[in-house]
Amino acid sequence: MEEADGGFALRLDGRAVRTPGKAVLAVPDAELAEAIAGEWRGQGKEIDPATMPLTRLANTVIDRIAGTDAGGPVIDEIVAYAGSDLLCYRAEEPEGLVTRQRAAWDPVLAWAEEALGARFVLAAGVIHIEQPPQTLENLRREIEKESDFLLGALASITNLTGSALLAIAVLRGRLSVEEAWAAAHVDEDWQIAQWGRDEEAEARRAFRWGDRQAAARMIAALG
């Protein structure tokens, strides 16, 4: 690792590590760079990107967002998630699931309205409901404040949870990564409680958890 151009670049056998887009793999925080270096040190004879979530996230930010106008489309994507946010679509039954959704999601919605000026409308079932334009505009303005790397972390969490609101709550310190992850899986955990575990679903969830932790690590370093 070496400091260069206001960031910290990784080196492997004396050579700069590069992203898939051929840019130098560099991040704006020394501890974050060290965590990425740790992923590289943990590799064997062959490099396995699946075991390097921080590296993959940094590559995505550098190649897709940093130094370009690509932040605009990424912001559009996050706002689009907010337009059909997981937290707004509620079960009508059974009562146990309804209660769990309310307990996990209502406090986040209340916080978003108070702290962000974003009042969301709830829907029963999966029928799409339009959110107030001012709500989405206020959310966009909040997201536009972020640096490239935090924007990348926010987009990652949004995609992993299906909720821009949970992602922003983590970014703003309203929820811990564990609380947001549990809130994102209320429905899935209810199904597990009723019908038992599914090994394939658990494997997918474990893989996503690694990506979720990487995004949270980036937020902790840069937020």
Side-chain angles (χ1 to χ4, degrees):
M1 179 178 69
E2 67 176 16
E3 190 169 1
D5 298 326
F8 298 85
L10 273 74
R11 301 188 71 83
L12 187 64
D13 296 331
R15 296 182 179 182
V17 177
R18 295 189 177 272
T19 70
K22 307 305 181 183
V24 173
L25 177 54
V27 295
D29 178 80
E31 289 188 12
L32 184 60
E34 180 58 32
I36 294 173
E39 291 185 339
W40 284 85
R41 285 193 292 268
Q43 299 301 302
K45 292 182 179 181
E46 296 185 1
I47 303 298
D48 182 5
T51 64
M52 306 169 74
L54 263 176
T55 300
R56 287 188 282 107
L57 180 55
N59 285 341
T60 298
V61 172
I62 293 167
D63 286 345
R64 289 190 55 202
I65 301 175
T68 73
D69 60 357
V74 172
I75 292 172
D76 290 342
E77 180 181 321
I78 297 170
V79 174
Y81 265 96
S84 56
D85 203 275
L86 169 71
L87 274 56
C88 297
Y89 292 85
R90 304 300 181 90
E92 296 181 275
E93 58 180 23
E95 185 58 34
L97 176 57
V98 171
T99 299
R100 289 191 185 191
Q101 289 179 343
R102 286 174 180 165
W105 298 350
D106 284 2
V108 180
L109 289 166
W111 167 81
E113 182 171 2
E114 179 179 353
L116 310 178
R119 182 184 63 83
F120 284 82
V121 180
L122 304 187
V126 296
I127 302 301
H128 179 70
I129 185 170
E130 294 289 336
Q131 297 298 335
Q134 191 60 54
T135 289
L136 299 182
E137 181 59 29
N138 289 350
L139 212 63
R140 178 182 294 275
R141 291 175 182 171
E142 190 71 18
I143 296 167
E144 287 173 342
K145 300 175 183 178
E146 303 309 329
S147 66
D148 291 337
F149 278 88
L150 285 177
L151 183 59
L154 185 63
S156 177
I157 296 174
T158 299
N159 276 279
L160 290 166
T161 62
S163 171
L165 288 174
L166 290 177
I168 294 171
V170 171
L171 183 62
R172 292 288 174 263
R174 173 59 180 80
L175 293 177
S176 68
V177 59
E178 292 81 9
E179 289 169 335
W181 194 248
H185 291 87
V186 166
D187 291 2
E188 184 176 319
D189 287 341
W190 171 262
Q191 294 297 327
I192 290 173
Q194 304 307 305
W195 307 106
R197 298 184 177 277
D198 181 288
E199 290 185 3
E200 290 187 8
E202 286 193 343
R204 289 193 300 270
R205 184 163 168 175
F207 182 81
R208 295 199 309 271
W209 172 252
D211 287 342
R212 182 76 168 78
Q213 286 289 75
R217 183 72 176 270
M218 190 169 286
I219 288 173
L222 305 176

